[in-house]
Amino acid sequence: MQNEPFGKYLTLEQFCTCTQTYCKYADRIDPYPKNLEETLPALEALCQHILDPVIDHFSMEQFQLTYGFCSKDLKRFLSQKDPATGIKNGRVDPSRDQHMAHEMNRNGRYYCSRLGAACDFQIAGLESDRLVEWILEQQLPFDALYYYGINRPIHISYSPKRRHAIWAFTAGGVPTKKGIKQWLERVNPHF
């Protein structure tokens, strides 16, 4: 199961083990989903509706997955500081970012009520604003798209809701609509 493709290209193992934090603490992290019945179809839908068309166009050689599925263990490590540097391992917002897909907490509630699934990726040799433009031109059915900057990966999610929400982020990580009016107008002409 871990090495079988979800869509045309990506395997569960690639999707669950791509983060720097996982690579750093791999011996202490179980990166795989527990709610297989709901999470696996959500990850598969993300691949089929968003990532497969991207890879079809740009190639697997250029595609760089930087953050895929976030397991409970990975979430715990992302929210901790590196003992050597004192710097937080990563940013995590499981209640909103959809990286945990349909995983549930110990109370039986979804970590993210938005459901669906998300990942962060970039295309080698392509500025991220141009990648966003291409996604909008292709009218890919995303739920949320986060633009962090021209040389950084984008975040994209897929869910049956398909809100077409687009956010940019300041250098300090604050969400904003500033500077992306042209994208917002393309997905919502009444913006």
Side-chain angles (χ1 to χ4, degrees):
M1 175 179 74
Q2 294 172 359
N3 292 316
E4 293 175 22
F6 272 130
K8 295 180 184 177
Y9 304 100
L10 298 171
T11 65
L12 181 61
E13 181 177 11
Q14 289 170 310
F15 219 77
C16 295
T17 62
C18 62
T19 65
Q20 292 176 351
T21 302
Y22 172 77
C23 292
K24 192 181 223 178
Y25 303 104
D27 60 329
R28 295 186 270 168
I29 294 176
D30 175 358
Y32 297 103
K34 301 297 179 216
N35 183 10
L36 300 177
E37 204 171 282
E38 293 180 85
T39 295
L40 292 181
L43 295 173
E44 187 173 42
L46 172 66
C47 288
Q48 290 174 348
H49 294 283
I50 306 294
L51 301 180
D52 285 352
V54 168
I55 297 169
D56 282 345
H57 183 77
F58 292 104
S59 84
M60 191 61 193
E61 291 74 33
Q62 285 184 273
F63 180 82
Q64 299 171 342
L65 184 66
T66 59
Y67 184 15
F69 173 74
C70 182
S71 69
K72 229 185 284 190
D73 281 358
L74 180 59
K75 174 186 159 300
R76 185 169 36 91
F77 277 89
L78 283 168
S79 60
Q80 296 174 359
K81 291 183 179 179
D82 181 292
T85 65
I87 298 170
K88 198 171 174 188
N89 287 318
R91 288 187 295 200
V92 61
D93 189 355
S95 68
R96 284 189 255 185
D97 68 17
Q98 298 167 289
H99 282 283
M100 292 188 82
H102 292 237
E103 294 299 287
M104 295 182 186
N105 63 24
R106 65 176 172 253
N107 298 323
R109 292 194 177 103
Y110 294 113
Y111 282 98
C112 181
S113 62
R114 292 178 178 164
L115 300 176
C119 69
D120 294 11
F121 72 93
Q122 60 191 13
I123 301 298
L126 183 71
E127 294 172 335
S128 290
D129 58 341
R130 292 183 53 217
L131 174 58
V132 172
E133 288 285 339
W134 184 86
I135 289 168
L136 295 176
E137 286 168 8
Q138 301 305 306
Q139 298 180 344
L140 295 185
F142 65 88
D143 186 45
L145 191 153
Y146 301 163
Y147 173 74
Y148 297 109
I150 201 163
N151 294 315
R152 298 199 48 211
I154 65 163
H155 166 97
I156 196 162
S157 67
Y158 175 82
S159 123
K161 293 177 186 171
R162 296 183 202 134
R163 295 173 296 141
H164 286 106
I166 303 177
W167 290 92
F169 285 78
T170 66
V174 177
T176 181
K177 300 280 186 180
K178 194 174 185 177
I180 60 169
K181 184 178 179 183
Q182 74 282 7
W183 295 341
L184 295 168
E185 288 173 344
R186 285 173 73 177
V187 295
N188 182 2
H190 305 292
F191 174 76

